[in-house]
């Protein structure tokens, strides 16, 4: 079973059970972002977590196997069009030099890892309009000088 | 004075004084991310803050005027090449569908604003390697249905 | 049911009933632009409006469910080719700097929202040739300075 | 004098005099959108209007000559990056099929002209946040069938 | 029936009957270029002409309905590859500035309409090699100054 | 002297003398399209015609030399943005398949040459609006079968 | 039958008979390059040659008809990726200016036709490693000056 | 001295002396294609040949040094626009699959080298029009199987 | 059988037998990189090696035939998106000029062949984190000077 | 001093002293690849190494300062054109899936770091033609599962 069919089966079961991503993540003991991304085929799970997804959603072992496969990560654009995703691209464009300057100032020459990386999405209630809070945490990787 | 020359003058003065972005931001009472982005020409400042930048760095009024101009925001790529900036693009690509799913689950149909938006860059010390923590906060904007 | 099949079913029913977009919009109490865009899968409807579309056109609940899903917005081009759509792209190109200058002059630094946004298409009769009148109204969003 | 230098001279004089685009347009008896676009080099003026610009701003005849030249229209992007301009591109993308459907429904097969075309930008005050109102009016051009 | 299937049915009937585009155009009283382009799905016909195509070729009413639909015009390239079509692109590139200069010299600031537009393809016999003669006629549209 | 400087000198002299492209072409005994394109650096002239341009405009021999150089033809776009030039691109896109079908029907397998090629731009007066008439004539080149 | 299916049928028959392109070309009295390109759908054959292909390979008349159709020439890339094809692209890039300079020096202003064009691929045995010899012959087409 | 200035100096001296590429190549004992490409900065010469170029053209040692530098090869396009160069690109596109099939048939799996490579441009006189004959010879490189 | 189906059959058999690429390569006496690339359809095998793959995995002769076909090499991107593959692209970008300088310094003007080429992937255990070691070996090809 | 001027000064001094990259690297106690890349502005040096470069080459402190700046890494292409660099791009394309399969097989889900990364270029003498050996070593980074 490939990742695409895996995602389709998970979405169908999730919809039938009326389960949210938050609830699924909580049931298997992982974060919502990681759980969702693995179910969309962008990350791989360990065997026990993959089995837990299938038990929670009532899916069979083939789905669990697919969840453990190393994914081929790709996306359908170089510049995204969906407005929600585009805004993150715009933030990268507008604040790219700023991120670079501040990370170099605080850490020296290197980058924030996108591999040893976690992310959370939270809702902050606010009378002037609720806010989406996205927190990224990536290990600082200094450039090796050899 | 255009934004490019303004940035050059600020960088030169900042280097001469040996001042960090953090210190400059602190001196004028704004966040480091906003301060840096305005000095790079990606945001505009109010008159009092622009004057404060110039007083702190010993620059004249033309720089303060340029800091108040509405910027034409652009960046030199559709896909960034600098590894530090590319990783943010990669995160948007790998986690775009996940961000979309979780924001819709928590907030309904809409987006995180990149205009009514704040961001912070922090250093989290960690024996396994320090971590870069980037926190974005954007107002949720529901799609109008009219 | 995905958005593509939803649109196909709506178009077929609309054609069979000989109903215009204007009439459908009027029947459900929404504007023609919003109604059409939601039926094309570019916007989501609330439950009552989605049910009203299905009652008006004699479609079943699966279509109504699909109308409520948050859409993944995208388009098949970076530069459009259809002459009708291209002219709007051309207007954005020719008048982009002008729009920017006048909105900044009237409102300060910020943008017109494309999310808290409405649009209307009207016909203005004119002996020298009828005119298409497109009216866009978007909330002004000032850049946050933090 | 080419259009680029013409625009530079107009912007400098306009800034020195502290004149708005609205005021300049009013002084020469043209709309703000057309006046601004011609001063940015995207449209040409008739001789009397070009002379009026120069009289109002205290500029010499070479500027007036340049204002009358037929412009070579172009823009620096295929997908714009400045957030204010991008939102108009996004509207064209999200609502392109809708505009096409409604214009064809009201007018038949043809397009809205971007040449026999006017546009206005207005501010609508609103306690929930002021709104930018953009009104486009283009002659409907039916496809010739020969 | 969509335009693609419509074109397939017309091409099949045309081939079976051994009819040329010229003959089909003559039979229905339209020009060869317009007739061909409508049969390829790039233009729409009026009801009587669409019916005439179907009578001439022995096709049923669904084809005639499709011929009346407003087409979504698009092409599969930004730079064409087929040598016959590429040469027209090359002519536009090599002579673009020349066309612009001469049309402005003769007509003033404006464009040749591609909507109120006709075209003919003729064969000019010539002992040094026959020549293809393509004649385009488009209404001059002056830029509105408002 | 390169072609760019050559064009600048010709445009300046032409403007000073108040001469049109039509008049210049007539003075040297070539067509307006060819004359203009050679002066813009897109074609080369024979020595006698190049000398005639210089005599007519009062330019020196270096310009005549440059007019005889084989040009490197290029244009600044893959998809043109200037509306006047874009319309020719649009015509190529919308009618490309039609041109291909009709030329093959009349001539067999081959192309219209863009090298053994002439073009004319004419003004057709018309009470419903004057028309731009562009006539292209290219030698038919049959594909060699060897 | 379209060109794609035609090619598939020819390749299948050719493989079954164990026939080379050279042998097929020899059997029908055309060059290997032209024969191969026509069988791949990039050129059209005359009726007798198309019939000869079918007789040689034991294919029916539909294939012969398809071989006579004027092809729509296209390729799947703007920059080729297959290393064998890329090297020809690289040669065009590295030696483009050189080819232009030498052809203009020998022939004057004009081009080598790619239509009145033949090509051969030969093997030159060489103890230091056999060599691929590709010979192109195209009619020189001088630019018309009119 | 960089390659660009080197080329400019060679072209100027060559023009002053009225020398052809063929004559220059003959004088230094290299082929015209290689000589031209090295003078355009696309290939490097050995010291004795570089000195011979300078002696023949009366240029100083700096030019000879630059002729010996390893070039950074690049070209200004992904799809060329100059018609002479485009035709070679078109040939690669139209005949790419054919070249691949015939080279594999004659040599097995591998490519024609563009590095161990020579090329000649010849003029073939022909009453039906002179022909450009381009002969490429590249070492066949079989793919290593390890 | 085309290469895509061949790969699918190999992957299925490899998974059923629980065999690694290393083990398969060892069984047939080729390197892991070459074996894997040929099974993915990027290289061709000799008949005996292709037969050995099929015997090892229990596949029939059609797969062995497909393994011997000359591949059409291509990849789905110009800039890769999968993070593992992107990092190799990034290395090429960041160190391209360095590779060029050092290879020219050690070998003179020429390139590293990607055809007469081998590659190995090894694991180097390291207490600070295991390392991926990729070793490429390509024949140096000097540019021919003719 | 920016990185571009820094590189120019280093190249000039290196050329004047007739020093190789290998010798420079040896003199300062770093590898040739890292030394070259830092001098080209693609990596930053520590203060002592930067000073050592300047002492070795007789350059002043401004160059040493520039060598310590964090670089903005970029390259002039998405697909490289220089044949030497292109071959590395081609290797990434042809062997990308193979690298991915073998690294996942040996290490699990993760990537080879391009930041904690070293590279060497060596010459392997070989009677059949010397070989370029490039060895890359990057830390394996497993994807965090959180």
């Amino acid at each position: 079973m490939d990742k695409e069919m895996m995602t389709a089966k998970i979405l169908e079961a999730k919809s039938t059970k009326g389960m949210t991503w938050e609830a699924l993540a909580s049931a298997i003991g992982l974060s919502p972002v990681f759980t969702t991304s693995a179910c969309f085929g962008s990350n791989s799970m360990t065997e026990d977590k993959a089995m837990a997804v299938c038990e929670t959603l009532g899916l069979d072992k083939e789905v669990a196997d697919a969840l453990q496969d190393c994914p081929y990560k790709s996306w359908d654009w170089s510049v995204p069009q969906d407005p929600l995703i585009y805004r993150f691209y715009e933030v990268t464009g507008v604040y790219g030099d700023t991120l670079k300057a501040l990370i170099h100032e605080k850490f020296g020459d290197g980058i924030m890892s996108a591999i040893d990386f976690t992310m959370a999405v939270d809702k902050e209630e606010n009378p002037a309009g609720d806010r989406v809070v996205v927190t990224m945490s990536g290990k600082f990787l200094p450039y090796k000088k050899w």
Side-chain angles (χ1 to χ4, degrees), chain A:
Chain A
M1 183 183 292
D2 64 14
K3 294 272 184 187
E4 200 174 350
M5 193 180 301
M6 174 198 85
T7 299
K9 284 200 178 293
I10 290 172
L11 287 177
E12 191 188 5
K14 176 176 166 294
S15 170
T16 304
K17 295 207 179 254
M19 198 170 215
T20 62
W21 291 113
E22 296 260 329
L24 177 59
S26 174
I28 67 169
L30 285 173
S31 70
V33 167
F34 185 81
T35 303
T36 307
S37 72
C39 291
F40 277 152
S42 305
N43 272 312
S44 65
M45 283 189 174
T46 55
E47 190 181 358
D48 58 326
K49 296 302 183 183
M51 292 303 295
V53 166
C54 292
E55 278 159 36
T56 307
L57 292 174
L59 293 165
D60 58 30
K61 188 172 167 302
E62 275 192 308
V63 172
D65 288 348
L67 278 165
Q68 297 170 62
D69 289 342
C70 296
Y72 189 100
K73 303 182 187 198
S74 70
W75 42 95
D76 291 339
W77 35 266
S78 54
V79 175
Q81 295 181 317
D82 184 79
L84 186 144
I85 301 175
Y86 181 81
R87 296 313 182 265
F88 287 92
Y89 176 80
E90 190 176 287
V91 163
T92 300
V94 173
Y95 294 99
D97 290 339
T98 294
L99 287 164
K100 193 167 163 61
L102 289 176
I103 291 173
H104 289 333
E105 180 171 299
K106 283 174 193 283
F107 294 87
D109 198 3
I111 68 161
M112 179 189 82
S113 180
I115 309 296
D116 187 335
F117 174 84
T118 68
M119 181 160 56
V121 178
D122 292 295
K123 182 177 190 167
E124 184 186 288
E125 305 213 341
N126 187 318
D130 293 344
R131 296 185 78 80
V132 182
V133 178
V134 175
T135 312
M136 301 174 176
S137 165
K139 189 176 177 179
F140 177 72
L141 303 179
Y143 278 107
K144 194 170 185 71
K145 298 168 200 294
W146 75 95

